Amino acid sequence: MNHYNIALIPGDGIGPEVVEEGVKVLKAIEEADKTISFTFKEFPWGCEYYLKNGKMMDDDALDILKDYDAIYLGAVGYPGVPDHISLRDLLIKIRKGFDQYVNLRPVELLHPDLTPLKNKTEKDIDMLVIRENSEGEYSGAGDWLFKDKPEEVVLQTGVFSRKGTERIIRYAYEEARKSNRTLTSISKGNALNYSMVFWDQVFEEVGKEYPDVKTYSYLVDAASLYFVSQPERFEVVVTSNLFGDIVTDIGAAITGGMGLATGANINPERKYPSMFEPVHGSAPDIAGKGIANPIAAIWSVSQMLDFFGLEEWAEAVLNTIKQILKENTYLTPDLGGSVSTDELGSHFVELLIKNRG
Ligand SMILES: NC(=O)c1ccc[n+]([C@@H]2O[C@H](COP(=O)([O-])OP(=O)(O)OC[C@H]3O[C@@H](n4cnc5c(N)ncnc54)[C@H](O)[C@@H]3O)[C@@H](O)[C@H]2O)c1
């Protein structure tokens, strides 16, 4: 029997609505497969919690979460709470505290109608972006000198440690080797004359241990252009925190938008729990209406199952997502359909279990 303890942080806005559907999928798997069981514990943390308690999560949150096998997060963000507070005091605290230094973002076209790109099909857009998730441009280092004076100066320091740079690049080489795909590094050595020259150097150094992996290296501006004009160039991609944040949004744009983008924050050593979340935010404009698209959150479940080593179920979940998109009848309004979040989730579970016989 494989048992997994999952901490749920549904968060704000549509977060709880989509997490509910992801949990529905996990419970259906548990029901259908007697070798797997899950326990769930929900935590009320997020912006509404902040408005009541003056903090995004309990002071000992990391201590509480550390023994779980995974964290499943919806979204955080709420009008009235500055976004840098919700981001830094919850998401980044967990990512950093649990050394989730790998951010895995599949950019995969699940159905040809979903891309706005002309003449591109599923075979052209199928990559895995591996984003550095613990330091770089988002390290939070810097200073704000002479605040509100005419001579005001702000410094935002990118931090690229040898350990941090080597481990993410090595992870990417391993992934490319394992899956027999090419590896592309995205950087900006021509303008960022310390950090990105160092990044390129480490990419080359580590590459010497992987002569079997075919590599490419692009500047981030050229890479952004190729994401749109020739996405077929990319298979496995490795890049820094900021560049990864930006290019994966381009990735979402060419594969159907935010309702379909997922991301996993991984601690590869499994010393701490990893965190799985849809990429979208709390969508206050549609929260409470029951029309949020749960597919990204369900794709996160597939990533979680994969991480647990339950690859067959992970694949079954992804195939069922593809089937739903192909059927084109059970879709939420963002994809041109008219079903609710709950209806899509229930139909999903029915198909998944039917597919698995
Ligand atoms: N990981 C996170 O928790 C996270 C990520 C991004 C933004 N945010 C926060 O969310 C709040 C809103 O941010 P935003 O509006 O820039 O981004 P958003 O992703 O919440 O919404 C952008 C647009 O996409 C739509 N959308 C997003 N997810 C959808 C889904 N599942 N189904 C259907 N439509 C969907 C929304 O309705 C909106 O029109 C902010 O407070 C922001 O800080 C949180």
Side-chain angles (χ1 to χ4, degrees), residues 10-12 14-15 18 47 73-84 86-87 90-91 95 249 257-261 265 275 277-287 291-297 332-335 341:
D12 309 302
I14 63 167
V18 297
C47 291
L73 182 123
V76 288
Y78 201 70
V81 178
D83 283 347
H84 68 268
S86 50
L87 185 72
L90 192 145
L91 281 176
R95 287 178 190 161
D249 267 22
M258 281 304 182
L260 290 176
N265 305 279
M275 179 162 68
E277 52 171 327
V279 168
H280 61 72
S282 56
D285 53 336
I286 57 164
I291 55 166
N293 184 351
I295 292 182
T332 42
D334 58 306
L335 293 181
T341 312

Side-chain angles (χ1 to χ4, degrees), residues 259-279:
L260 290 176
T262 185
N265 305 279
I266 303 289
N267 173 249
E269 291 75 24
R270 296 173 193 251
K271 190 171 166 202
Y272 304 106
S274 293
M275 179 162 68
F276 301 83
E277 52 171 327
V279 168

Side-chain angles (χ1 to χ4, degrees), residues 32-342:
D33 186 337
K34 296 299 171 211
T35 69
I36 302 171
S37 69
F38 302 105
T39 44
F40 302 98
K41 168 92 177 136
E42 188 170 323
F43 296 93
W45 302 326
C47 291
E48 288 184 64
Y49 187 84
Y50 175 88
L51 290 173
K52 279 190 214 120
N53 303 286
K55 49 191 169 194
M56 289 292 295
M57 36 183 201
D58 289 340
D59 296 333
D60 57 351
L62 294 188
D63 217 35
I64 295 171
L65 291 173
K66 75 175 184 333
D67 295 323
Y68 284 86
D69 295 304
I71 301 165
Y72 185 37
L73 182 123
V76 288
Y78 201 70
V81 178
D83 283 347
H84 68 268
I85 291 189
S86 50
L87 185 72
R88 293 214 81 85
D89 291 359
L90 192 145
L91 281 176
I92 294 194
K93 222 178 203 171
I94 296 175
R95 287 178 190 161
K96 277 196 163 192
F98 289 154
D99 209 13
Q100 295 166 346
Y101 63 87
V102 177
N103 186 235
L104 288 184
R105 290 273 303 262
V107 175
E108 195 179 332
L109 184 61
L110 299 180
H111 189 275
D113 291 352
L114 291 169
T115 185
L117 304 182
K118 241 194 290 173
N119 305 326
K120 299 293 176 196
T121 63
E122 293 103 312
K123 70 175 178 12
D124 300 312
I125 311 179
D126 184 4
M127 62 178 111
L128 177 67
V129 180
I130 298 174
R131 164 185 166 194
E132 205 293 317
N133 211 27
S134 65
E135 52 170 42
E137 306 88 342
Y138 291 1
S139 67
D143 212 339
W144 197 313
L145 305 166
F146 316 114
K147 205 160 192 252
D148 300 327
K149 302 219 168 67
E151 62 272 35
E152 193 165 24
V153 175
V154 296
L155 302 167
Q156 189 80 49
T157 309
V159 174
F160 290 78
S161 67
R162 175 158 288 276
K163 178 182 165 197
T165 309
E166 260 187 32
R167 67 183 181 177
I168 192 70
I169 286 177
R170 191 175 299 283
Y171 184 95
Y173 271 107
E174 285 291 332
E175 181 61 37
R177 172 179 276 172
K178 199 171 70 190
S179 55
N180 199 19
R181 286 181 288 179
T182 63
L183 175 62
T184 300
S185 160
I186 297 179
S187 64
K188 186 70 184 169
N190 59 345
L192 299 171
N193 53 331
Y194 296 109
S195 57
M196 287 296 150
V197 170
F198 175 68
W199 176 281
D200 289 344
Q201 183 190 312
V202 174
F203 185 67
E204 231 182 282
E205 272 171 27
V206 176
K208 293 202 176 87
E209 296 167 41
Y210 298 84
D212 49 313
V213 175
K214 177 139 186 56
T215 61
Y216 300 91
S217 195
Y218 297 132
L219 299 173
V220 65
D221 37 350
S224 305
L225 182 134
Y226 290 142
F227 257 60
V228 176
S229 61
Q230 297 171 40
E232 61 277 13
R233 280 177 182 257
F234 302 98
E235 293 185 358
V236 178
V237 173
V238 65
T239 189
S240 69
N241 215 332
L242 169 68
F243 295 164
D245 196 2
I246 297 169
V247 297
T248 51
D249 267 22
I250 303 178
I254 61 171
T255 51
M258 281 304 182
L260 290 176
T262 185
N265 305 279
I266 303 289
N267 173 249
E269 291 75 24
R270 296 173 193 251
K271 190 171 166 202
Y272 304 106
S274 293
M275 179 162 68
F276 301 83
E277 52 171 327
V279 168
H280 61 72
S282 56
D285 53 336
I286 57 164
K289 295 186 179 157
I291 55 166
N293 184 351
I295 292 182
I298 293 175
W299 196 344
S300 304
V301 163
S302 167
Q303 284 193 298
M304 189 193 296
L305 293 166
D306 209 24
F307 182 74
F308 288 159
L310 306 171
E311 287 94 353
E312 280 184 23
W313 277 110
E315 211 185 314
V317 169
L318 194 56
N319 285 338
T320 306
I321 294 177
K322 288 181 191 166
Q323 191 182 345
I324 290 217
L325 293 168
K326 196 165 164 200
E327 281 179 356
N328 205 19
T329 45
Y330 268 88
L331 297 178
T332 42
D334 58 306
L335 293 181
S338 56
V339 305
S340 69
T341 312
D342 170 62

